[in-house]
Amino acid sequence: MGVSSPAHQLSARAKATRQRILDAALVEFAEKGMAGSRVDEIAARAGANKRMLYAYFGSKEELWLTVLEQAYAAKRAEERELSVDSLPPAEAMASLVAFNLRYTSRHPEFVALLNQENLHRAAYLQRSEHVPALYSPMLAALTTVLRRGAAAGVFRDGVDAMQLYISILALGHFYVANRHTLSTIFGTKLDTEAAIAAREAHIADVVLGFLRP
């Protein structure tokens, strides 16, 4: 699918309105999910009206998909800025681990959107015309670092890059997605800088320990 009016064909004012709607929808969807969010509330938060929202996006479902695509695109844009080629393999791997956790902790709305889309069994994401563009540059960087590490004898051979990538994502995603319940259970705040730094160090130790020859 796609947005009914491509952004590049809109006037500057229309683009600004469209982006305000997307920003408002991101907040609403992250808080209430797609099913629980109301178009009226999104439009009001954006300072727009329902007519404009429908003109730009066609339906709440298409708005949800556009917000989801934009959230993926934002993360992928930052991933493309990662520069680990000049780092020794172990440092490069730790840097990739740190990026994922730090990005996730800065953007809990991204975690919320993914959790909601998984409840829908990716029914909306599967309709996206931009899925190939959602491929993670971090996975490509991870693959290169694994090869360099194996060639240098500091990482073991035969590591499945996709499986390791998923493990790194899971170690950060679970922490952020469950930070409130975990903080309550363990009686300590897990969203402070000190707590996140400790989690970052732990994940790096886990991953590097797994990779040792």
Side-chain angles (χ1 to χ4, degrees):
M1 292 294 173
V3 179
S4 55
S5 299
H8 69 275
Q9 295 178 358
L10 301 176
S11 68
R13 182 176 179 181
K15 285 181 182 179
T17 301
R18 181 180 182 276
Q19 189 59 52
R20 286 202 315 274
I21 293 171
L22 285 171
D23 293 342
L26 173 61
V27 175
E28 289 288 324
F29 287 149
E31 289 179 356
K32 304 171 185 175
M34 198 271 284
S37 297
R38 296 181 56 203
V39 169
D40 307 66
E41 294 175 358
I42 294 171
R45 184 187 288 268
N49 57 56
K50 286 197 298 182
R51 180 185 60 78
M52 296 171 71
L53 186 151
Y54 287 124
Y56 293 142
F57 300 101
S59 66
K60 184 171 75 168
E61 290 75 15
E62 289 303 311
L63 177 59
W64 167 264
L65 177 55
T66 304
V67 167
L68 189 62
E69 289 174 338
Q70 184 173 262
Y72 268 107
K75 187 179 186 202
R76 298 313 183 229
E78 288 201 26
E79 287 179 354
R80 290 187 186 93
E81 298 299 316
L82 287 171
S83 180
V84 296
D85 293 344
S86 62
L87 297 176
E91 289 182 34
M93 187 63 65
S95 179
L96 294 174
V97 166
F99 169 82
N100 178 71
L101 176 64
R102 294 290 177 166
Y103 187 92
T104 305
S105 67
R106 291 198 314 271
H107 299 281
E109 73 281 359
F110 181 66
V111 175
L113 290 176
L114 265 59
N115 288 348
Q116 285 292 323
E117 182 62 8
N118 275 286
L119 290 176
H120 296 296
R121 297 179 182 270
Y124 298 99
L125 191 61
Q126 288 172 20
R127 293 165 42 198
S128 173
E129 296 174 350
H130 308 293
V131 166
L134 303 181
Y135 177 85
S136 174
M138 184 176 161
L139 177 57
L142 183 68
T143 300
T144 300
V145 172
L146 284 172
R147 288 173 181 163
R148 288 202 291 121
V154 296
F155 293 164
R156 61 192 182 90
D157 289 315
V159 175
D160 186 317
M162 186 191 74
Q163 291 294 342
L164 181 60
Y165 175 69
I166 293 172
S167 293
I168 291 172
L169 293 181
L171 289 167
H173 182 105
F174 180 89
Y175 182 86
V176 174
N178 296 278
R179 64 197 183 283
H180 301 301
T181 52
L182 290 173
S183 294
T184 300
I185 289 169
F186 294 115
T188 184
K189 294 278 289 180
L190 294 179
D191 56 359
T192 65
E193 171 56 31
I196 293 168
R199 182 63 183 169
E200 178 185 319
H202 175 77
I203 297 174
D205 284 346
V206 168
V207 171
L208 292 173
F210 165 74
L211 290 173
R212 289 191 189 102

